[in-house]
Amino acid sequence: MLNLTTSAALFERAKTLIPGGVNSPVRAFRSVGGSPVFMASAHGAWLTDVDGNQYVDFINSWGPMILGHAPEVVLDAVRAALPNSLSFGAPTHREVEMAELIREMVPSIEKVRLVNSGTEACMSAIRAARGYTGRAKIIKFEGCYHGHGDAFLIAAGSGALTAGEPDSAGVTIGVAQDTLTAPYNDLPAVEALIAANPGQIAALILEPVVGNMGLVIPAEGFLQGLRDLCTQHGIVLIFDEVMTGFRLAPGGAQQLYGITADMTTLGKIIGGGLPVGAYGGREDIMNCVAPAGKVYQAGTLSGNPMATAAGMAQLRYLHEYPELYTALEASSARLADGTRQIAAELGLNYTVNRVGSMFSLFFTDKPVNNLDDAKHCDTAAFGRYFHAMLNRGIYLAPSQFEALFVSTAITDELVEKYLTACRESLKEAHGL
Ligand code: KE4
């Protein structure tokens, strides 16, 4: 068993100072049990916790560390920017260069605004779409997460065609009435929502590949169907690529699936590990955003010189070496296919979904194509598996309803380490 003494002591102190002892809920290990591990450092594929235990990282800060931790190319850029002050609150050349690079990598983004998180990006994109269309309602999908903005913390309403209900304390009925929800991969449900709310829907936002139910894949024709419906009804199609952007391909999911979004939200990888988000898209929509237009959005640290230094370095590296995506595809396929094979050999036949360097092992032998499917998982067994893997030096997402993120630092040797631990941990979790 791991010595987690210092983590445990820190967690006790943290709980007296920070809600739940963490600065983001998933970190608290609530859905897998036990106390969170406090990290001290990370390099390449390896995390080191405050007790000196080491883990191979398959979360990579929930996506940003696609090159592994502390890549020299990013650290060098940050070191070079460091002496020039950490923030100006004035425009800088790097923001111009970053906007040009984003537009080159994601051609549907004709104009872009940098913000400080994926949440800010998604909140702002919705506001811009509402300002552009003059319409109030939005459609989102059950199980998709777009940050903690009020408009997104909405559960499915009582009736399939009624407005949503608040999914968090503090979110009002007033806000919920403008968010409509549909099951993911259910195109008829979207058509029905549009028919029931003619001329009222400003935007439809989704994760084009879902990471926040665990990894859920868009069904054949689903994304194109949404594209066609949005075009037909003047609805702004927003791809939330905070997770998938620059990960599934240099141009994200829209490059992978060949679908052009009207707007795209970005985060995680775009900051290289520092706080950066972005939203952008069609020029006619983005020109509604202040000071060019009447949709207000602002941020003290937006385009921060340190964050853009880190983000630019990482994006430039990914842009310069697209062969990295081929390597990620190969290592991720070995991880996911190996996991599926091990589960089958153990008679578990669990579902493993993968797109590119994102994958999930679902503790169910049924297909997982939407939130209802994902809810069939044996989350207690997942919790036992999570800790069994942690004890073997493998750091997974502490929730069944998250995706794993593979970095380029994962070598063949580390794939083997993962698969050996996976076999032993599945057996331990099921008493096999
Ligand atoms: P942030 O505000 O956390 O930077 O981004 C929000 C967000 C928006 N859109 C998508 C598709 C996202 O996955 C996220 C954030 N992802 C979570 C992981 N499920 C971040 C981890 C956390 O909340 O601590």
Side-chain angles (χ1 to χ4, degrees), residues 228-271:
D228 296 343
L229 283 169
C230 287
T231 303
Q232 182 185 349
H233 296 279
I235 296 170
V236 176
L237 175 62
I238 303 173
F239 271 17
D240 177 351
E241 296 223 43
V242 168
M243 272 188 177
T244 57
F246 312 112
R247 173 165 285 278
L248 300 186
Q254 51 198 294
Q255 176 184 334
L256 193 64
Y257 291 96
I259 303 282
T260 300
D262 297 315
M263 295 184 78
T264 303
T265 58
L266 298 165
K268 298 181 191 279
I269 288 174
I270 194 175

Side-chain angles (χ1 to χ4, degrees), residues 34-259:
S35 297
V37 174
F38 281 60
M39 295 302 169
S41 65
H43 294 89
W46 291 90
L47 291 163
T48 303
D49 73 13
V50 291
D51 289 292
N53 303 299
Q54 293 205 303
Y55 313 89
V56 182
D57 190 3
F58 287 91
I59 285 305
N60 288 294
S61 184
W62 301 96
M65 316 316 277
I66 190 169
L67 300 179
H69 289 279
E72 278 307 313
V73 64
V74 173
L75 296 194
D76 284 346
V78 172
R79 290 187 191 108
L82 209 50
N84 303 326
S85 182
L86 303 187
S87 180
F88 310 114
T92 64
H93 68 91
R94 203 175 289 116
E95 292 163 81
V96 179
E97 291 165 9
M98 189 156 196
E100 285 171 340
L101 181 55
I102 291 167
R103 192 165 67 176
E104 188 177 347
M105 294 178 79
V106 190
S108 66
I109 297 181
E110 296 172 341
K111 277 195 173 173
V112 63
R113 168 64 60 83
L114 296 181
V115 292
N116 298 283
S117 70
T119 292
E120 261 196 281
C122 293
M123 286 167 59
S124 308
I126 290 294
R127 187 179 308 136
R130 284 170 162 158
Y132 172 75
T133 60
R135 301 174 183 177
K137 295 185 187 299
I138 65 168
I139 292 175
K140 78 172 290 288
F141 292 89
E142 296 154 27
C144 283
Y145 177 68
H146 306 293
H148 61 83
D150 284 5
F152 306 122
L153 299 181
I154 306 295
S158 50
L161 297 184
T162 58
E165 295 166 0
D167 199 19
S168 162
V171 174
T172 65
I173 295 291
V175 166
Q177 70 182 5
D178 286 333
T179 299
L180 307 168
T181 65
Y184 197 80
N185 280 323
D186 187 340
L187 216 44
V190 177
E191 289 167 325
L193 284 175
I194 293 172
N197 298 273
Q200 300 172 56
I201 301 170
L204 180 150
I205 186 169
L206 78 157
E207 296 179 62
V209 172
V210 185
N212 287 290
M213 292 185 231
L215 197 287
V216 169
I217 303 167
E220 185 68 35
F222 179 61
L223 297 179
Q224 187 60 56
L226 294 176
R227 176 65 279 171
D228 296 343
L229 283 169
C230 287
T231 303
Q232 182 185 349
H233 296 279
I235 296 170
V236 176
L237 175 62
I238 303 173
F239 271 17
D240 177 351
E241 296 223 43
V242 168
M243 272 188 177
T244 57
F246 312 112
R247 173 165 285 278
L248 300 186
Q254 51 198 294
Q255 176 184 334
L256 193 64
Y257 291 96
I259 303 282

Side-chain angles (χ1 to χ4, degrees), residues 9-32:
L10 280 169
F11 191 45
E12 288 313 307
R13 281 170 57 196
K15 283 188 285 190
T16 67
L17 301 158
I18 306 167
V22 291
N23 282 310
S24 197
V26 71
R27 302 177 188 173
F29 279 20
R30 292 253 172 132
S31 59
V32 293

